[in-house]
Structure formats: structure tokens, C-alpha cells
Amino acid sequence: MNVLKWGLIGAGDIARKRIAPALNDLENCELAAVSRGRAEWAEAFAAEFGVKRWYADWREMMTDEIDAVYVATPVFLHAEQTIAAAEAGKHVLCEKPMALNVEECDWMIAACKANDVKLGIAYYRRFYPVLERVRQVIAAGEIGKIVFAQINAFEYFDPAPDNPRHWLLEKEKSGGGPMMDFGCHRLEVLTDLFGKVRRTKSIVDKVAFEREVEDTAAVLLQFETDTCAALIVTHASNEPQDTLDIFGTKGSINIPVLNSGDIRIKTPAGETTESHPPQANIHQPLIEDFANAVLSGSEPRVNGETGRLIAVLEDEIYGLG
């Protein structure tokens, strides 16, 4: 098998902007089928991206002659759809966060292992060139022992009830507010850079909006290396932020906008400013890595265990662990 045939479960904004284009652009991938709850939308999406087969019921797609599925649906559906795909012998790349809780993650991992299929989770920032540069600086000891890191992730979000993304504010569907939605991405960045977490302290609250989930959350983490970090997320701030600051005993790293790739590095040798932007389609390196792992029989860089690790932290932050 030289080309991985994919089925796409869910065809919303992310699927249209990133996932379908990546699957069409990669030489070792083919987007062969798509499913979406409304038949006319599934058919329109298939026509837009040249997909041969479309389904209104994702369960019917499990009998299709595809090798892998990309699960791009709300969080509460991830476990059911991943397990069904695994039992049908399909490899699974699932959107983040992996599931509503650690228990669901365990079910997903077990199903994929039992059916000998790969499981990946869409933490695409693992492939950002700017974070590879951060790893290099830290590994070389250029800024000394890492003392403290901080991430601010602010995105104003107050959708009307008829907004297609309103499900993100419904606890049974999303599992939580911004800490679940995009805080999980930043937790993955921090654990990738600094390793296992020893302990957490968190605040999860409704500061500005009355809703089922928090609009603001903050967590302090201490890693087994003794490094400390703070992650602050909010739906309520008028000013967007996407920062990463790392402070060491000899210097520091400042990334003012993580998604842009600009970085300032201060060391005893001086200060440098560099730019390492992500690929135009930020999902594409993730999907390419997963496809290569399936085709070569290796393990994807971001697998089910990665997703479970973040779910453990999310459970602790929300007081469920």
C-alpha cells in the first residue's frame, strides 16, 4: 500500500479549511469518503473536494474500502467514533481534545490496540518549526536550567445559541470551556518541552459570562524536572494573545505569537531575533506524519498516549482526577 485511503467524519470549518486540503495535497493520501449529518451538506462537501463517496451516517462509512478515518467532530463523539472505526479495522487520527475524560481515552486506546490499528491525536503544534528551535535551544543549555514558562491564550468567544460552534459552551458535548478547547493544545506544548507534570493548581471560573462552562481558567504546573509553568486561557478578554515565554538561569525565550513563528532568544552571548513560521496548512505535517507511520508500520509522533496524558491533566485541572 503506497497511498492511504481516508474517510472524513465531520465536515465543518476545520475539515474544509485544513483537513480536506491536506489530504488532497499529500501524495501518500487520498480523501475517498466523507460523512456529515445532513445529506445535502455531505454531498456538497464531496463535490467541493472531489470526494467519490459521501454518507449522511458515519456508521455506513465504516464499511467503505478506506484505510483510515479522520475524526473531526465535537468531543463527545470522539470515543464512540474512534472505537467503531478501530473495530472496522481503520486507523484513526482524531481531533483534539482526545475525549471527554481519561476513561474514554483508555477505551479508545484499548480498541485500537485490540484491532492493531494506529491512533493519533491532532496536536499539530508538535510540528511547528519554532518549537523545534525552542527544543534545540533548551537541549543545548543556551539559556541554562529552565525556571519558569508562561503561556497566555486569549480568544474572545461568546457565540449566539444558533452559532454552529455553540456546542463548545455545552458541557456534555465539549467537556469544558477554553481550557478544554484550546488550553489542551498549550498543555501539549508544555509537556512536550518539559516532560511529566508532578503537580497542578488551578482556577476554573465564569468571570464574565453566565454559561455551562468556564470562560477563564489558569493552571500552575510543576514538572518532575522542577521547572514551573503557568497557563492562562480565556474567552472573555478583548485582547487576543498567543504567547510563550520561557525563562532560564542564563537567558530567556520569547514568542509573542506562537502561531506566527517569530522568536527572540536571549543568552549570555547576546540577543537574536529569528522567524520560523509554520506551514501554511498547519494540519498538513501532522497528517503526513500519521500517514507515514501507518504506511511504514511505525508510531505517529502524536499518539493516543499523548492524548491521554493531556486528558489526565485536564481532569486534574477540572477537579475530576
Side-chain angles (χ1 to χ4, degrees):
M1 179 171 55
N2 297 318
V3 175
L4 200 65
K5 294 182 179 180
W6 288 81
L8 176 57
I9 305 178
D13 283 347
I14 293 297
R16 173 168 277 102
K17 293 175 182 177
R18 300 180 189 170
I19 300 163
L23 292 172
N24 279 342
D25 289 345
L26 289 168
E27 292 183 359
N28 61 357
C29 294
E30 176 190 342
L31 180 51
V34 63
S35 68
R36 192 170 185 181
R38 290 179 59 171
E40 64 271 27
W41 290 358
E43 184 178 17
F45 189 96
E48 181 180 352
F49 290 99
V51 183
K52 297 175 183 177
R53 299 177 297 280
W54 57 268
Y55 301 86
D57 188 341
W58 63 268
R59 296 169 185 82
E60 294 181 9
M61 196 172 71
M62 295 302 98
T63 63
D64 199 303
E65 292 184 0
I66 52 177
D67 307 304
V69 298
Y70 194 112
V71 175
T73 52
V75 185
F76 74 103
L77 297 171
H78 289 182
E80 178 188 6
Q81 292 171 340
T82 295
I83 292 167
E87 290 176 345
K90 320 298 184 187
H91 304 280
V92 183
L93 181 51
C94 181
E95 262 302 326
K96 60 76 205 169
M98 181 173 172
L100 290 173
N101 51 54
V102 175
E103 184 178 32
E104 288 190 348
C105 293
D106 288 337
W107 296 342
M108 295 161 72
I109 291 169
C112 289
K113 285 183 177 178
N115 292 280
D116 196 26
V117 295
K118 304 291 185 187
L119 174 60
I121 309 300
Y123 287 117
Y124 53 78
R125 283 177 176 80
R126 178 73 66 91
F127 300 90
Y128 275 16
V130 71
L131 290 177
E132 180 56 34
R133 181 68 177 119
V134 171
R135 294 184 200 102
Q136 292 172 356
V137 171
I138 292 173
E142 293 183 44
I143 63 170
K145 179 177 174 61
I146 307 305
V147 178
F148 192 79
Q150 180 162 337
I151 291 179
N152 292 347
F154 303 168
E155 176 186 316
Y156 191 86
F157 185 63
D158 187 27
D162 60 349
N163 187 299
R165 299 184 69 215
H166 189 270
W167 67 267
L168 288 162
L169 307 186
E170 300 169 31
K171 189 171 180 60
E172 288 189 358
K173 294 181 179 179
S174 65
M179 186 59 78
M180 279 289 284
D181 180 28
F182 50 81
C184 66
H185 267 302
R186 279 71 181 182
L187 289 169
E188 192 280 324
V189 168
L190 291 170
T191 55
D192 178 51
L193 292 176
F194 306 122
K196 292 183 178 180
V197 174
R198 178 187 299 158
R199 58 178 174 169
T200 64
K201 296 284 186 179
S202 61
I203 297 172
V204 181
D205 210 347
K206 302 166 189 175
V207 175
F209 304 121
E210 187 56 42
R211 51 177 55 166
E212 292 182 21
V213 298
E214 86 281 358
D215 60 43
T216 302
V219 60
L220 292 173
L221 308 105
Q222 185 171 34
F223 298 85
E224 291 185 355
T225 56
D226 295 330
T227 294
C228 297
L231 168 61
I232 306 168
V233 298
T234 185
H235 277 161
S237 171
N238 185 57
E239 177 182 335
Q241 289 205 8
D242 179 30
T243 64
L244 171 58
D245 294 290
I246 301 172
F247 302 93
T249 55
K250 296 181 181 179
S252 63
I253 296 170
N254 168 248
I255 302 176
V257 181
L258 184 57
N259 287 336
S260 75
D262 293 337
I263 182 173
R264 185 175 71 244
I265 304 167
K266 293 182 180 179
T267 71
E271 179 178 326
T272 60
T273 301
E274 304 171 5
S275 184
H276 304 278
Q279 193 159 320
N281 184 340
I282 54 181
H283 271 69
Q284 187 160 321
L286 167 93
I287 295 171
E288 183 175 21
D289 174 80
F290 185 83
N292 287 337
V294 172
L295 294 171
S296 67
S298 59
E299 190 69 10
R301 281 184 63 187
V302 188
N303 58 21
E305 294 299 333
T306 305
R308 185 188 188 279
L309 173 64
I310 304 310
V312 168
L313 292 176
E314 292 278 13
D315 278 5
E316 290 180 5
I317 291 166
Y318 284 100
L320 304 174

